[in-house]
Each structure stands twice: as C-alpha cells, then as structure tokens.
C-alpha cells in the first residue's frame, strides 16, 4: 500500500536510495500520471538516469540528460 499525505502527495524513499525509482514508478502507475517534472536536486540524478525506463512506461519525463545533471551538481 502507498503511504500518502493527502490526494496530491506520496511518500517515497529519498532520491539517493535504491528504492526511489521503483517507488516513484509505482506512484505514477497507481495514480495514472502522464508526466513528471522533478524539481528537487537530490532526486534529479536518479530520475535522469532512469528517464528512458520511465518514458518506456508511458510517462513523459521532463529532465536534462544524466550527464548534464551530473555536471550541474
């Protein structure tokens, strides 16, 4: 079951934890999301690294390529 903090929020592991992307994927699927716009610096590297896998699941992911995110950090 998904822990929630209201209708628009969901608890997921920190962006640097290995379960972050799978949890984010579950949230997107459970809520039938169509796009993702990450804004937290600690989550950008993981989302950028897995953006193609998320896109393959039908989620539009608006994030710079992983190499660009790495340079900016």
């Amino acid at each position: 079951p998904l822990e929630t903090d209201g209708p628009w929020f969901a608890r997921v592991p920190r962006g640097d934890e290995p379960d972050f992307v799978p949890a984010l994927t579950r949230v997107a699927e459970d809520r039938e999301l169509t796009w993702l716009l990450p804004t937290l610096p600690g989550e950008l590297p993981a989302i950028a690294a897995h953006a193609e896998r998320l896109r393959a699941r039908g989620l539009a992911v608006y994030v710079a390529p992983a190499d660009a995110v790495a340079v900016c950090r």
Side-chain angles (χ1 to χ4, degrees):
L2 186 64
E3 288 187 49
T4 62
D5 286 333
W8 299 107
F9 299 96
R11 290 180 195 251
V12 296
R14 288 173 37 115
D16 57 356
E17 293 183 17
D19 291 337
F20 171 68
V21 173
L24 190 62
T25 302
R26 280 194 308 277
V27 170
E29 290 174 351
D30 289 351
R31 297 189 179 187
E32 299 178 355
L33 301 180
T34 57
W35 58 272
L36 174 65
L37 178 62
T39 59
L40 298 177
E43 296 176 353
L44 290 173
I47 293 171
H50 294 93
E52 289 308 314
R53 181 171 25 152
L54 294 166
R55 289 180 182 122
R57 292 178 167 268
L59 190 63
V61 181
Y62 300 98
V63 66
D67 56 344
V69 170
V71 169
C72 293
R73 287 190 52 101

